[in-house]
Amino acid sequence: MISDTDFMRRALDLARNAQALSEVPVGALVVLGDRVIGEGFNQPITLKDPTAHAEILALRAAATTLGDYRLGGTTLYVTLEPCPMCAAALVHARVARLVFGAWDPRQGAAGSAFNLVTARAMNHQVDCFGGVLADECGAILRQFFESRR
C-alpha cells in the first residue's frame, strides 16, 4: 500500500514543475484508492488564469478522469495548506480527505487562518490532516521566495 508520505513526495515533484516555470512551487494530486486520478501544479501566470492553483487543476483532471465533478472517496494531497478558493472547491467536489504538507498561517483555509474544510456551515466536511513532509514542503517555498527577494 502506498503511504501518505509517498503521495506527498509525488506532490513535491509536481511542485518542482511549477518552480521550473517560475510559479509558486505547489503541487497537488487526487487519489482514489491507490490510483492517482488527477495531478496539477500552480500555473496562474503560465495559463493567465487566477484559478489555476495546483488543487484546482488536480480536481479538474480528476473530474475528467471519473466523468463526474463529485469526487467522493478521494484524497487530495497538496504541498501547501489550501487557500479559501481551493478549500471551498474541495468541499463542493465532496473530496473525502485532504492531506497537506506546509501550513499557511496567513491564507490557509484548513485550520490556520480559516477552516472551511470542516466548517459545519458548509454542505460537506473534509477529513483533514496537515504536516506531512512539512519541512520539505516548506523548504521549497522558502527557497523560491528567498530567490525572488
Side-chain angles (χ1 to χ4, degrees):
M1 175 137 185
I2 302 173
S3 71
D4 287 345
T5 301
D6 294 327
F7 284 123
M8 191 60 70
R9 287 193 199 294
R10 176 62 189 144
L12 277 164
D13 288 341
L14 292 165
R16 290 181 191 94
N17 292 343
Q19 187 174 28
L21 296 173
S22 297
E23 300 272 7
V24 176
V26 177
L29 54 131
V30 179
V31 174
L32 182 61
D34 279 345
R35 184 175 142 228
V36 176
I37 60 169
E39 295 182 333
F41 53 89
N42 270 6
Q43 297 183 71
I45 298 166
T46 302
L47 298 178
K48 298 172 182 57
D49 178 355
T51 69
H53 289 197
E55 301 95 322
I56 299 296
L57 297 176
L59 290 171
R60 288 177 183 162
T64 298
T65 297
L66 295 182
D68 193 346
Y69 80 96
R70 290 198 174 173
L71 304 175
T74 62
T75 299
L76 185 130
Y77 293 87
V78 63
T79 56
L80 179 65
E81 180 182 4
C83 72
M85 173 184 71
C86 294
L90 293 172
V91 170
H92 290 297
R94 310 296 197 279
V95 169
R97 187 169 174 252
L98 164 65
V99 178
F100 65 88
W103 296 88
D104 185 352
R106 293 176 50 207
Q107 298 181 57
S112 288
F114 312 96
N115 196 348
L116 294 178
V117 295
T118 62
R120 293 287 169 214
M122 300 295 272
N123 62 340
H124 172 75
Q125 289 77 44
V126 180
D127 183 29
C128 181
F129 184 72
V132 175
L133 297 180
D135 291 341
E136 293 92 330
C137 293
I140 192 172
L141 289 160
R142 275 189 305 282
Q143 291 164 1
F144 174 80
F145 286 112
E146 286 171 1
S147 74
R148 301 181 78 74
R149 290 186 185 129

